[in-house]
Amino acid sequence: MSEPRRLLAALTVLLLYLGFCALVMLRARRRHRRSVAPEDAAPALLVAHASQTGFAEELAWRSAELLRTAALPVRVEALGALSSDSLAVAGRALFVVSTTGEGDAPDSAARFLRRVMAGTPDLSRLGFGILALGDRSYARYCAFGRSLDAWLRQCGATPLFDRVEVDDGEEGALRHWQHHLGRLAGTTELPDWEAPHFDAWRLVERRLLNPGSQGGPAFHLALEPIAGAPRWCAGDIAEIGPRNAAEAVAGFLHRLGLGSAEGFEDRLLPQEPEAIAALAGLPPAELRRRLPPLPHREYSIASLPEDGRLELLVRQVRRPDGRLGLGSGWLTAHAPLGGAIALRVRTNRSFHPPEPGRPLILIGNGTGLAGLRAHLRARRAAGQRRNWLLFGERSRGCDFFHRTEIEACCAEGSLQRLDLAFSRDQAERIHVQHRLREAAEELRRWVDEGAAIYVCGSLEGMAGDVQAALADILGTAALKALTDSGRYRRDVY
Amino acid sequence: MPRILIPTLQAAPGRPAGDRVQALDGATMGTRWSVRWVGSARPEVLRARIQARLDIVVAQMSGWEPGSDLSRFNRAPAGSWQRLPAEFLAVLDCALAIAAETGGAFDPSIGRLVDLWGFGPRPAPTPGPPGAELLAPARAGGGWQRLRLDVPGGRALQPGGLGLDLSGIAKGYAVDLVAEALATAGVAAFLVEIGGELRGQGMKPDGTPWWVALETPPGEQPMEAAGGEEYVVALHGLSVATSGDYRRFFQHGGRRYGHTLDPRTGWPVEESLASVTVLHPNCMRADALATALSVLGTEAGLHHARRHGIAARFLTREAGRLREHVSPAFAAMLD
Ligand SMILES: Cc1cc2nc3c(=O)[nH]c(=O)nc-3n(C[C@H](O)[C@@H](O)[C@@H](O)COP(=O)(O)OP(=O)(O)OC[C@H]3O[C@@H](n4cnc5c(N)ncnc54)[C@H](O)[C@@H]3O)c2cc1C
Ligand SMILES: Cc1cc2nc3c(=O)[nH]c(=O)nc-3n(C[C@H](O)[C@H](O)[C@H](O)COP(=O)(O)O)c2cc1C
């Protein structure tokens, strides 16, 4: 068999190379989640509901049930039964509330509105989360959930995560709420209420972005739809249906003394010896029936439909016991190249692009670059050049994801300012919030010009510190005004 | 001077990731593989990763291995659903897509015909071209439309007597897998080759991409190309696959028969086509398309390449000399 002859670089080649580099285009990524340790023994977590026709109440109970399966003490109350004092000492509270009438609170919340929300009690020791039910076809969408949110903040309470709004019972948003419940409960294995209806996509590219990094490996993944031409928008989320590695299934069945059997790749396999022992002797079909399906995972989409592929930036997570994370392990290690990936795009309106004409400030760290990258692409495609990116990672040498592409954006003028914070490249730890403070003057100028601020990345640390920096630079009232007018948006996890 | 081909619409290459080029090679699938890469990744580590990927392809898709999933499928009783591993399914799925796109010019169910002509794992039953009495049942046993694939269920239906042969595509897939093994090990610049199919990424320490010369069949008269030159391709985010009858053929009765069969007739394709080269980001596709286009022949092949935006170059023998025809997507990459 003849080997192809390879012609080594001729004189022309260096010149050509310059033209070659001009052929910049795309690439992608996205994010993942981490489990969070449960907080110290605290009073039972409060789940309060305000419902007109019963949906909010039902969801409150389902949330409580889910948290209890993770052994978290929970109590459920009607919002109308709460007082300022009970809220002040509740520790952590989840509010599941609907909006009715013309943007009104449900009737059952009338007493709470009159007696409690009329004042400004000190709730500085309360951490809260809100699930706001509504319907976009009404002018004042989720109005009660939003005003409850604003009031709680005003009383000094701390959001545990951003308000989740549900348009007409949309399941994707409800799964996103469950994602937050899982974090509160300190587990990532809570079963989905309603399994997403996934489509089949094909994994066409997988690449490690940060060889040699002190942080976890981060991968660029590209997927193509197997059928159709799905649409999505910058800011949207990919819900993934993870699968078990073939070896994990084989190992599990082996421990039960079973040979190979089908149908376990999408089941949650217990790890503890007692849990496995309890399943001994069951025939495979019954065994499968007893195991819950694997829960979904969410990742920010890092590309646009026009790119022809859905790209993600996924950090490979390793659990304390050494196993890879359910979703990230599947995507970054176990799924075979060319193989099918179960995926559904979830519309995430609260992180859609700002209206054209506004300058855009993109702030994020780590895999948060995924969502920001989709926005940057959308802006370039729309000819919107007034963009500013603040990105933080560990080291410039290893963790400057998509560096070539970002630098090309700077060179062509679609990225007018770039601030990088590499925390481990110098003795003191520098993060995006520090860069933000250094650029306070310019930040105010951009905001005066009407800029929107989009934050994507880790909820712990980054999101809170960035928010504090923004509040210091712009003033709390101005930041609140930006929030209310949709000019300050977050996709943090 | 050689003419230069540069990929369009690719990601810009990252800067060189190291100052030395390392190399590894070995044998697989009855041919050789070789990998060159830039940087300090350790050869022992990469060799193990590469070998693991190659082993997957051979264990699943080799007709030479009686224990492979492919051999098991080929032996399976009529009407039985056979569970297939995900990689096998991915290749079969792509093979069927290309079969459909090309009206069966590429056909993964050609195994029995390949055996009959002696290009496959088993020796040919007759010395010359097989007679009609042998060809008819072999053709009836094939036919990609008879295959049923259940991708979500991870299985395929053996309709009875159907012989899969993935030799025209699995090698390309193996190149993609090895490229993925390197990319997920953090290697940013590499060139992978298995038996003449190549895939490259990134650039060398001197800042140049992997330049690869397109083969011209050996022992041929000089070409009357558009300029008569050679081509070199910058393989960044790109694969190149060539299908040619000069690599494997047999001679009988003064005629030369290439190893590319036309599944629609059961006969080797016309010998006037010397080679077809396809450039595509994905080596599996490039590999299968090169075979499909040689079956289609110059005219229908060029038409197909034009319609589907495939970058392809056809070398034909005309009046004892080589002539070249290129598709618009190929021409678009020139200079
Ligand atoms: C897993 C595996 C293991 C192998 N092991 C061995 C081995 O041990 N020994 C050995 O000698 N060879 C082996 N081969 C085959 C060997 O690698 C190559 O000779 C063969 O792949 C042809 O490669 P090529 O580049 O010459 O031709 P390509 O152009 O890449 O492919 C041509 C091959 O495709 C098939 N084909 C022909 N016409 C069609 C058509 N119309 N549609 C679909 N397919 C068609 C035929 O098998 C033909 O040989 C193996 C192949 C695979 C995939
Ligand atoms: C009469 C009526 C008025 C509503 N008005 C609003 C509204 O102003 N804004 C909004 O976002 N949703 C509105 N909704 C939608 C509800 O908030 C949504 O259906 C919710 O899921 C109901 O939850 P519940 O059963 O807990 O009350 C209205 C629904 C009804 C039936």
Side-chain angles (χ1 to χ4, degrees):
Chain A
M1 240 164 257
S2 90
E3 290 275 304
R5 281 169 300 153
R6 293 166 190 144
L7 199 92
L8 287 192
L11 285 174
T12 50
V13 150
L14 263 172
L15 283 173
L16 286 161
Y17 163 67
L18 296 175
F20 181 57
C21 272
L23 298 161
V24 180
M25 285 288 299
L26 318 165
R27 201 73 352 160
R29 200 38 24 23
R30 168 16 280 128
R31 97 206 193 194
H32 80 107
R33 72 210 18 239
R34 268 165 310 162
S35 66
V36 152
E39 273 165 32
D40 310 338
L45 186 138
L46 170 65
V47 180
H49 56 81
S51 186
Q52 189 68 26
T53 54
F55 190 40
E57 180 171 356
E58 184 197 329
L59 290 177
W61 283 102
R62 283 169 81 179
S63 302
E65 229 164 83
L66 203 64
L67 293 168
R68 283 193 192 118
T69 62
L72 198 74
V74 181
R75 66 197 167 99
V76 180
E77 305 260 12
L79 192 66
L82 297 176
S83 66
S84 305
D85 294 347
S86 63
L87 273 184
V89 299
R92 294 187 298 174
L94 299 178
F95 298 89
V96 185
V97 301
S98 67
T99 295
T100 190
E102 298 293 317
D104 305 323
D107 296 340
S108 64
R111 189 175 160 279
F112 185 82
L113 225 58
R114 219 171 40 244
R115 298 255 190 106
V116 185
M117 277 179 79
T120 318
D122 175 11
L123 300 181
S124 56
R125 290 167 57 210
L126 181 71
F128 72 94
I130 294 183
L131 182 64
L133 309 184
D135 185 327
R136 233 169 243 290
S137 57
Y138 289 90
R140 304 193 53 219
Y141 176 56
C142 289
F144 180 55
R146 290 177 182 184
S147 63
L148 178 64
D149 194 353
W151 176 78
L152 285 164
R153 287 170 198 254
Q154 201 190 332
C155 296
T158 312
L160 299 165
F161 48 82
D162 289 352
R163 183 181 64 244
V164 177
E165 296 183 344
V166 184
D167 180 14
D168 194 17
E170 202 264 311
E171 289 168 8
L174 290 174
R175 277 190 296 272
H176 185 56
W177 169 254
Q178 288 178 258
H179 156 86
H180 288 303
L181 296 183
R183 292 180 57 113
L184 283 177
T187 167
T188 54
E189 297 192 342
L190 295 179
D192 290 336
W193 281 335
E194 198 75 57
H197 177 77
F198 292 119
D199 294 316
W201 292 61
R202 203 188 312 282
L203 177 65
V204 295
E205 190 187 344
R206 177 161 56 201
R207 191 154 53 80
L208 178 64
L209 290 173
N210 58 349
S213 174
Q214 310 163 47
F219 290 82
H220 169 82
L221 303 176
L223 300 112
E224 287 172 2
I226 286 178
R231 303 297 301 173
W232 67 88
C233 182
D236 284 348
I237 300 291
E239 295 184 309
I240 303 279
R243 299 289 179 261
N244 294 309
E247 305 85 74
V249 173
F252 170 74
L253 294 173
H254 180 76
R255 285 166 77 182
L256 284 169
L258 294 168
S260 70
E262 293 174 17
F264 290 92
E265 55 283 334
D266 62 352
R267 299 284 122 176
L268 192 58
L269 307 176
Q271 298 300 317
E272 309 73 38
E274 318 80 65
I276 295 178
L279 298 167
L282 295 175
E286 173 61 13
L287 180 59
R288 181 177 190 279
R289 219 183 47 74
R290 298 249 186 124
L291 299 175
L294 285 173
H296 80 289
R297 290 292 182 257
E298 299 175 13
Y299 299 94
S300 304
I301 301 174
S303 63
L304 302 178
E306 292 70 33
D307 297 327
R309 18 199 262 169
L310 188 151
E311 299 182 321
L312 304 176
L313 172 50
V314 178
R315 176 97 58 192
Q316 189 176 74
V317 175
R318 206 166 272 284
R319 308 192 205 186
D321 64 4
R323 285 181 301 146
L324 295 181
L326 220 51
S328 71
W330 166 242
L331 287 175
T332 65
H334 306 314
L337 187 71
I341 304 283
L343 185 151
R344 171 185 180 272
V345 172
R346 173 164 74 77
T347 305
N348 184 25
R349 269 201 196 75
S350 62
F351 207 60
H352 277 185
E355 56 276 41
R358 281 198 186 291
L360 180 60
I361 304 171
L362 299 163
I363 306 172
N365 67 345
T367 53
L369 185 61
L372 304 182
R373 181 175 181 255
H375 278 290
L376 189 54
R377 285 180 173 218
R379 299 275 293 180
R380 285 175 66 196
Q384 302 282 327
R385 298 159 70 83
R386 195 103 175 95
N387 304 308
W388 175 2
L389 172 66
L390 293 104
F391 172 63
E393 247 295 337
R394 287 199 168 171
S395 84
R396 179 184 293 266
C398 298
D399 305 299
F400 190 172
F401 308 145
H402 299 301
R403 171 178 187 160
T404 319
E405 183 178 316
I406 290 171
E407 290 181 342
C409 289
C410 292
E412 76 175 19
S414 58
L415 196 49
Q416 300 192 341
R417 179 165 176 159
L418 172 66
D419 289 277
L420 299 164
F422 292 110
S423 60
R424 308 284 170 105
D425 281 358
Q426 61 284 308
E428 78 277 34
R429 295 283 157 85
I430 295 178
H431 298 289
V432 277
Q433 60 269 24
H434 302 118
R435 293 282 181 250
L436 202 53
R437 289 179 189 276
E438 288 164 16
E441 207 45 46
E442 181 139 6
L443 182 79
R444 279 190 286 266
R445 202 155 41 236
W446 280 57
V447 170
D448 286 345
E449 287 168 24
I453 303 172
Y454 280 44
V455 180
C456 189
S458 52
L459 182 57
E460 284 146 74
M462 196 276 300
D465 291 343
V466 164
Q467 176 143 329
L470 289 172
D472 287 350
I473 296 168
L474 302 170
T476 318
L479 188 58
K480 182 173 181 303
L482 288 180
T483 310
D484 293 346
S485 60
R487 281 171 59 194
Y488 171 48
R489 294 166 181 259
R490 314 201 303 173
D491 175 28
V492 293
Y493 44 90
Chain B
M1 282 297 285
R3 300 198 68 191
I4 305 285
L5 287 126
I6 290 180
T8 43
L9 279 187
Q10 290 303 316
R15 49 205 69 203
D19 57 2
R20 64 188 168 130
V21 176
Q22 305 192 69
L24 280 174
D25 61 12
T28 187
M29 300 178 214
T31 180
R32 307 279 310 164
W33 63 267
S34 74
V35 168
R36 293 199 286 152
W37 74 99
V38 178
S40 51
R42 302 212 341 260
E44 322 80 85
V45 175
L46 289 191
R47 181 180 287 280
R49 291 182 71 114
I50 292 165
Q51 196 61 53
R53 299 301 204 283
L54 296 171
D55 291 348
I56 287 176
V57 177
V58 172
Q60 295 183 8
M61 296 169 241
S62 174
W64 279 258
E65 300 286 335
S68 71
D69 296 286
L70 182 134
S71 299
R72 166 173 58 86
F73 182 91
N74 288 351
R75 287 190 306 263
S80 63
W81 281 98
Q82 295 292 310
R83 236 184 132 65
L84 300 179
E87 292 85 354
F88 192 154
L89 273 173
V91 173
L92 199 49
D93 196 27
C94 176
L96 286 178
I98 293 178
E101 278 164 32
T102 61
F106 180 86
D107 187 345
S109 67
I110 201 172
R112 293 183 63 191
L113 275 174
V114 171
D115 281 347
L116 213 50
W117 285 89
F119 296 131
R122 273 161 291 281
T126 51
E133 75 292 353
L134 288 174
L135 271 176
R139 286 183 59 201
W144 58 276
Q145 298 98 330
R146 297 175 63 222
L147 265 171
R148 288 278 169 282
L149 213 55
D150 168 13
V151 176
R155 55 192 197 148
L157 179 74
Q158 167 59 274
L162 187 142
L164 282 179
D165 172 8
L166 297 177
S167 290
I169 185 168
K171 214 164 46 166
Y173 179 69
V175 171
D176 290 334
L177 277 188
V178 169
E180 187 247 1
L182 296 166
T184 54
V187 178
F190 54 77
L191 181 67
V192 178
E193 189 227 325
I194 305 180
E197 328 296 12
L198 296 108
R199 177 169 172 148
Q201 186 75 38
M203 28 178 193
K204 290 176 288 177
D206 61 3
T208 62
W210 306 97
W211 293 106
V212 171
L214 296 191
E215 339 175 37
T216 301
E220 298 278 357
Q221 293 296 308
M223 265 203 276
E224 293 235 352
E229 308 105 334
E230 273 197 299
Y231 292 104
V232 287
V233 193
L235 274 198
H236 172 60
L238 199 62
S239 301
V240 48
T242 299
S243 171
D245 68 4
Y246 56 91
R247 296 234 204 120
R248 266 193 176 195
F249 59 89
F250 75 42
Q251 233 137 358
H252 180 81
R255 262 202 71 175
R256 175 161 133 143
Y257 295 97
H259 75 165
T260 303
L261 299 175
D262 186 341
R264 302 165 302 183
T265 62
W267 277 71
V269 299
E270 279 286 320
E271 67 171 307
S272 66
L273 236 181
S275 79
V276 178
T277 297
V278 172
L279 300 171
H280 193 278
N282 179 295
C283 198
M284 166 162 71
R285 275 209 149 241
D287 193 6
L289 284 173
T291 302
L293 295 182
S294 1
V295 172
L296 288 173
T298 316
E299 203 183 308
L302 267 173
H303 179 70
H304 182 82
R306 191 174 303 118
R307 270 198 30 223
H308 291 82
I310 300 165
R313 169 193 170 217
F314 295 72
L315 278 184
T316 56
R317 294 191 195 85
E318 288 169 36
R321 316 206 85 194
L322 281 183
R323 269 205 60 161
E324 144 188 295
H325 307 266
V326 304
S327 70
F330 186 95
M333 285 191 199
L334 279 172
D335 299 337

